[in-house]
Amino acid sequence: MKHLFLACMLLGTSVAHAYNQQALMEAYFGVVMIRGYNLDGGMAYGSGVVVADNSVVTNCHVLRATKQPWISRGEDSYPITEVRADAWHDLCLVTTHNMPFKPVPRGSSLSLARGQEITAIGHSNGVPAPITSVGEIQGLYPTQPGNMIRSSAKFLMGASGSGLFDMEGKLVGINTFKTAGNGGSIHFALPVEWLETLAKMPASTEFPVHGKALWEEDEDKKPFYMRAAVPESRQDWAALQKVSSLWTQQEPASADAWFSLGLAQLSLKQLDSAASAFDQATRLDPQFIEAWFRRGEVAQQLGDQQTVQKIETRLQQIDPLLVSVYQAYLGCDKHCPK
């Protein structure tokens, strides 16, 4: 719960920057529904993003159970005539005709930064109008070309294939998979750069679309950031510590790996070890705000007020607005004890 509290407080202060309202509105109207009848007669639905004239990108897993999918907005529908599928990367480019919707502009997942504000726009739970969810970038993982994106911008069932946009309304990712657990869901988006390869795939008129996606790989074959997400969301701290220890050994230059290890150790009350892990995370990424907050939490539990104050000074240098959030996070009244 404290993890969620911190994310909400950060989002309400330093990371909430100016945004382009007109551009985000245009992005909103670039998101559509993908619908179709399942083989058993039920309705399948997902989301998609208009990326070219009469072309929409969605997740291939949205198209696994229907032979005749279509694109819809409100009462209007547009039959899907062909698909270019990259099942492993879970991206499908579908084509229709006479669709009047404008393509959204594309950004770059490589230009994103941890803590940057973003918004997810999709048809969660099959509602006819898109739902927006504002969040921040929590992690960026190189997956050539581009970065896999972990964000706090929520999406629900039916939003698979929806768009993740920067605050200038540019498409940076496709919301695809998430974990679930007592600690809250962790959301991942595929990099927009993968669309370049997708457009070169051969066209097909065969539905449903079949094939396993990378996020469905056996657990021990997934990249560490995926393997760590499941125990983190389930608050299985012993399992997270095990995975994160391997992660730091295999990728010692990853700030995310050290943060994940520190989070597990903090939750297991291994405070000295957690302090070392968070120290390493902030050395590797001095702008890793949550790692600084967690390091301050460890220091407070250890009675190390000198370190608590040093971190407050460091946050003041990064962004003065963070100081009050840090103090509230630690439960301090006005100022942490000196």
Side-chain angles (χ1 to χ4, degrees):
M1 183 60 70
K2 198 167 187 180
H3 182 81
L4 178 61
F5 170 76
L6 173 57
C8 290
M9 292 201 70
L10 286 174
L11 194 56
T13 55
S14 62
V15 297
H17 298 297
Y19 61 93
N20 188 326
Q21 185 175 10
Q22 179 61 36
L24 285 172
M25 184 60 68
E26 292 177 0
Y28 179 90
F29 286 111
V31 174
V32 296
M33 285 189 74
I34 306 293
R35 306 181 72 180
Y37 289 106
N38 286 330
L39 301 180
D40 62 4
M43 178 66 72
Y45 56 85
S47 298
V49 183
V50 181
V51 292
D53 291 341
N54 292 311
S55 295
V56 170
V57 66
T58 187
N59 289 138
C60 291
H61 74 259
V62 171
L63 304 171
R64 284 179 178 169
T66 177
K67 287 187 175 182
Q68 293 180 313
W70 66 88
I71 298 164
S72 71
R73 173 177 292 164
E75 297 181 355
D76 298 327
S77 61
Y78 307 90
I80 292 174
T81 56
E82 66 178 25
V83 59
R84 299 176 189 273
D86 182 350
W88 175 247
H89 288 116
D90 203 3
L91 285 176
C92 277
L93 186 66
V94 297
T95 302
T96 185
H97 52 80
N98 297 324
M99 186 176 69
F101 312 135
K102 291 173 53 178
V104 301
R106 299 187 197 180
S108 168
S109 67
L110 295 171
S111 66
L112 300 175
R114 193 194 310 275
Q116 179 177 339
E117 193 174 15
I118 38 78
T119 184
I121 306 176
H123 291 270
S124 294
N125 287 326
V127 296
I131 295 174
T132 62
S133 173
V134 177
E136 65 175 38
I137 300 297
Q138 295 179 318
L140 296 163
Y141 313 102
T143 51
Q144 296 300 323
N147 288 320
M148 186 74 75
I149 305 165
R150 170 176 165 168
S151 87
S152 61
K154 297 180 180 179
F155 58 90
L156 304 176
M157 185 175 70
S160 292
S162 62
L164 188 70
F165 297 88
D166 66 18
M167 302 314 282
E168 289 296 318
K170 294 181 179 179
L171 182 69
V172 294
I174 302 298
N175 296 311
T176 300
F177 62 99
K178 63 180 181 176
T179 65
N182 295 333
S185 298
I186 295 174
H187 305 80
F188 291 94
L190 309 177
V192 69
E193 287 82 0
W194 285 2
L195 300 187
E196 296 300 325
T197 301
L198 178 63
K200 300 173 184 176
M201 292 288 182
S204 172
T205 58
E206 296 295 320
F207 294 95
V209 173
H210 300 291
K212 182 170 73 172
L214 57 86
W215 55 272
E216 298 172 311
E217 181 60 280
D218 294 340
E219 202 65 23
D220 61 347
K221 296 179 182 177
K222 291 179 182 178
F224 280 107
Y225 65 86
M226 287 190 199
R227 293 170 61 183
V230 173
E232 180 184 339
S233 63
R234 294 177 179 173
Q235 298 183 329
D236 185 346
W237 305 121
L240 181 61
Q241 183 180 33
K242 183 177 180 180
V243 171
S244 301
S245 294
L246 291 172
W247 190 1
T248 58
Q249 292 169 26
Q250 295 293 319
E251 301 177 28
S254 169
D256 295 270
W258 289 103
F259 176 82
S260 183
L261 179 59
L263 182 62
Q265 292 169 332
L266 170 59
S267 302
L268 292 169
K269 303 302 181 183
Q270 300 171 8
L271 299 182
D272 290 331
S273 297
S276 296
F278 290 133
D279 283 341
Q280 185 66 3
T282 55
R283 276 194 291 269
L284 291 166
D285 183 358
Q287 303 298 312
F288 200 154
I289 304 304
E290 188 171 358
W292 285 113
F293 275 60
R294 295 290 187 175
R295 181 63 180 92
E297 181 181 353
V298 173
Q300 187 183 56
Q301 292 190 32
L302 289 170
D304 180 3
Q305 292 303 319
Q306 183 178 9
T307 297
V308 170
Q309 287 301 310
K310 284 183 178 179
I311 293 171
E312 183 174 320
T313 299
R314 182 71 182 95
L315 292 171
Q316 174 75 31
Q317 295 168 348
I318 296 173
D319 185 340
L321 291 174
L322 288 170
V323 174
S324 61
V325 183
Y326 176 65
Q327 292 167 353
Y329 178 72
L330 296 183
C332 302
D333 183 14
K334 294 185 179 180
H335 295 286
C336 292
K338 297 188 184 296

